[in-house]
Amino acid sequence: MRLNRSVREGLTDLLLAGPATAVMVLLIFLPVGIVAVLSFTDYQFGAASFRWVGWDNYRAILADPFGRRALVNTLTYAAITIPASISLGLLVAIGLHGLTRHQPRLAAVLRAVYFLPVAATLVAMAVAWQMILHPTLGLVNQALGAAGLEGPSWLSDRALVIWTLAAIGIWQSVGYNMVLFLAGLAAIPPHLYDAAAVDGADRPWDRFWTVTWPMLGPVTLFVTVVTATSAFRVFETVATLTQGGPAFASDVLVYAIYREGFVYFKAGHASALTMVFFALVLLFTALKFRVLETQVHYR
Amino acid sequence: MKQSLNATVAAALVGLAATAAHAETAIRVHYGIPTIWAATQEALAEAFMAENPDITVVIDGPAESYEEGVQRLLREAVAGTLPDVAFVGLNLWRVLEARGLAQPLDPLMGDKAAFMAEGFGPAVRLGTFNDTTYALGVSASTLMIYANPTLVAQAGGSMDAFPETWDGLIELAAKIDALGPTIDGIWLQRHDWRFQSLLGSYGGRPMTPDESDITFDDAAGLAAAALFHRFSQEAGMKTYGTNEARQAFPAGTLGIMLESSSLLTRFLQGAGNKFEIALKRIPINADPASVYFPTGGSGLVMLTTDPTQQAAAWRYMRFVTSPEGAKIIVETTGYAPTNAVVVADEAYLADFYAANPAVRPAHEQIADFAGPWYAYPGAEGVAVTDLIAAALVDISDGGAEPDATVKALAETLRTRLGMR
């Protein structure tokens, strides 16, 4: 028996996309659904029963000064990390791209060095950072001490801690962004620069502004989305280095979710926080695609 | 409207139901913190099985910390795969009790007064709430003063004339702090248990016995909070995190550290030959009859509801808290024992004390003043301990006024815990 063409194509589509879709529904959409349901209950982790509490959990998040603190800290962290790690990633990529022509070997070594933080486990790296930033024993403050200065408590000063964590976040993501930008730079056809030169754009800045930057549009969009989502999801460094402290000064959304759910055992409250976080990231991603898509040049 | 969770979860977890095959006389034991407990657990199980060949002890893979251990037990409770017995943090067994998972032990003790008189008294007191015992304490630690004698001498003090009052201690700490930019005088974590310890040294209590009201906003509580203020203002206490301080002290850059006695073994290893670590008792500022120190450490809870398993589990719990079990625990972990016979009868631990003289003051303080680590009741019980820590940070380096901060904190706790 031969099926007609459209049925066969439909079956092929189903065969190709079906398993992945089923797994996604089972492992992502279903749990999100359960979390959404739990967010309207007072369920305590491990308890035998729960009660429907309507929007109480959401109201509690807005009323709680520490809930707002976690939100503000997350936004601050993202506002520092996103622009810094994208622009540094681009700078390093342009530098290495230029260096490849004169010193290919050195460029390869530097590329590996910049990429190391991405390949390393962030938790292990966090422990190394803790030693380097130790207020008395750490390399940084020992060096400052030798110069006669008393270094700050990088990870336990309430005004400083979110900046320190952001710096570690930038250090960790620059290498990844660099690799993506390098791929983007390598894909720019050289004849475009020749054409630009014919039109009078032959100074470095003109070349960058009229050819490189527009041609990097799709890569930049991708890098921005990836960097932003990972900035909003910051967790490992906070959990290993500060546990949200001192006095909630480095509390961020994902850590607050973990704390409410697995330290305080308030699963209902944690679920509501998760839904807020989910909505924020979704909103931000949609916004970025809206704004940036219109300005990106595809070939 | 109450929903049956079991039905909901059963529907959601179809296919995940684990099959826990129980042999007639096998008991499953859960524990946490393998870096401290792994060798101890094996020694305990081995010694128990040698005496009780009819029971096999099966040890679950350990949890990294007590918190993680309780999370795992709660998950196992939902999946129906709870172990029979669990070692849990002394501040966490109430979480299991509140969810009806920790079984009351009184029926198994028979005559409770006689049982306590046999030497099990301290173990029972550490695990009792509202006259019912849910846990047996197996290892104990209280807040102690760790001192670096080298730095103390450099600052013009001596360990023989070590200050026995807070005023003297703060003065000494300030002198040590002045020794250099990378030398610190004193450090104490801004934390619920530490606050309760200082509160107890002034004879205060965090709550009324029936847990219906907060009482740490009395004179004792204000005095305890003021110490956090004075440590930072007068003795230059830094805003270290716990890990940072626990690195600084054995490295020899911190003069005085107020920490749990359970860290002694680790600090001795860390300091090596750099300096001799000295352990001193916390100054007492009230009638000794009213003084107590909240006890950290771990306790044993029974989670099985099957009578046969309970009987076997109880024999194991009794063994672990007996003089013989306590001796194994003290010798392998350095924790203080919870069995009164071991404390009273020198024969059990004479060799251990001869080899570890520094630990003696810690065990004496526990024998004199060990009390419960108060856990705040209800769903917000754990969450409010972070509010206490945040208030102590405000007091010590935010420059907040101690009295007003503690009073406001007490009001916040009353609201959050539903005490009105």
Side-chain angles (χ1 to χ4, degrees), chain B residues 93-114:
Chain B
W93 61 264
R94 284 285 298 277
V95 172
L96 300 171
E97 178 265 329
R99 287 161 177 73
L101 300 175
Q103 302 302 312
L105 302 173
D106 303 63
L108 294 151
M109 287 177 204
D111 181 352
K112 190 170 181 176

Side-chain angles (χ1 to χ4, degrees), chain B residues 9-61:
Chain B
V9 170
L13 293 184
V14 169
L16 286 181
T19 49
H22 286 283
E24 276 286 303
T25 50
I27 53 168
R28 257 177 67 211
V29 177
H30 163 99
Y31 78 99
I33 320 189
T35 47
I36 297 177
W37 282 97
T40 315
Q41 290 293 338
E42 269 169 38
L44 285 171
E46 217 165 273
F48 174 75
M49 287 191 285
E51 278 180 27
N52 302 272
D54 57 321
I55 298 174
T56 313
V57 175
V58 182
I59 302 176
D60 279 4

